[in-house]
Amino acid sequence: MPAVDGWFAGEGDAFRLLGTRCTACAAVFFPREDVHCRNPACAGGDLTEVPLSPRGRIWSFTDSRYRPPSPYVSDPELPWEPYALIAVELESERIVVLGQAVPGITVADLTVGMEVEVVPGVLAEDAETTWTTWHWRPTGVAR
């Protein structure tokens, strides 16, 4: 089950984040915008869904050493496991999208400017449900 409906779709190499593009000014938005163009210089146009670039370059990164607030779900009985958080400038759109690194990648593995790709990931799971999201993976790293 997607953690947020409409923000990503596809599987394997076809996995993509989904944004919206204004037909009047061509501005691209993620998270998606479905009501009005966010560009203050635009009179507004129709917003169409667009798959975003699957690759980009690391713009910045850090490690998350705290238990995040809702909607993230974590068991307070389990020890907190830090994870790398990456800001990626998408290849074509030139917008910056935040996301977690794939499990096993730490800040020691990352550098600004490194190429990464978006891949499906798991945000949380319990006995009945797996909530899916996206992760960033350095290119050339095995799945």
Side-chain angles (χ1 to χ4, degrees):
M1 170 184 296
V4 182
D5 282 329
W7 283 21
F8 52 89
E11 296 180 20
D13 291 340
F15 184 81
R16 295 288 184 279
L17 295 175
L18 301 174
T20 48
R21 181 185 311 275
C22 175
T23 57
C25 70
V28 177
F29 308 106
F30 185 85
R32 60 183 301 128
E33 175 59 62
D34 293 311
V35 178
H36 60 83
C37 181
R38 291 185 207 147
N39 178 355
C42 180
D46 292 330
L47 298 166
T48 59
E49 182 176 276
V50 292
L52 301 179
S53 298
R55 292 180 180 226
R57 298 212 173 261
I58 294 177
W59 185 75
S60 185
F61 61 92
T62 190
D63 58 349
S64 180
R65 297 204 166 264
Y66 64 92
R67 195 177 300 275
S70 179
Y72 292 91
V73 178
S74 63
D75 185 342
E77 301 298 317
L78 296 175
W80 176 247
E81 292 291 328
Y83 58 87
L85 194 58
I86 307 174
V88 175
E89 183 178 32
L90 298 181
E91 193 170 68
S92 296
E93 297 82 6
R94 307 291 301 221
I95 61 173
V96 176
V97 175
L98 196 62
Q100 292 181 17
V102 293
I105 297 293
T106 69
V107 294
D109 302 312
L110 304 173
T111 59
V112 169
M114 175 185 278
E115 186 180 55
V116 293
E117 59 190 342
V118 68
V119 296
V122 173
L123 179 62
E125 53 191 331
D126 62 23
E128 293 101 33
T129 308
T130 298
W131 290 273
T132 57
T133 188
W134 69 92
H135 286 154
W136 294 110
R137 178 180 66 204
T139 56
V141 172
R143 294 177 189 233

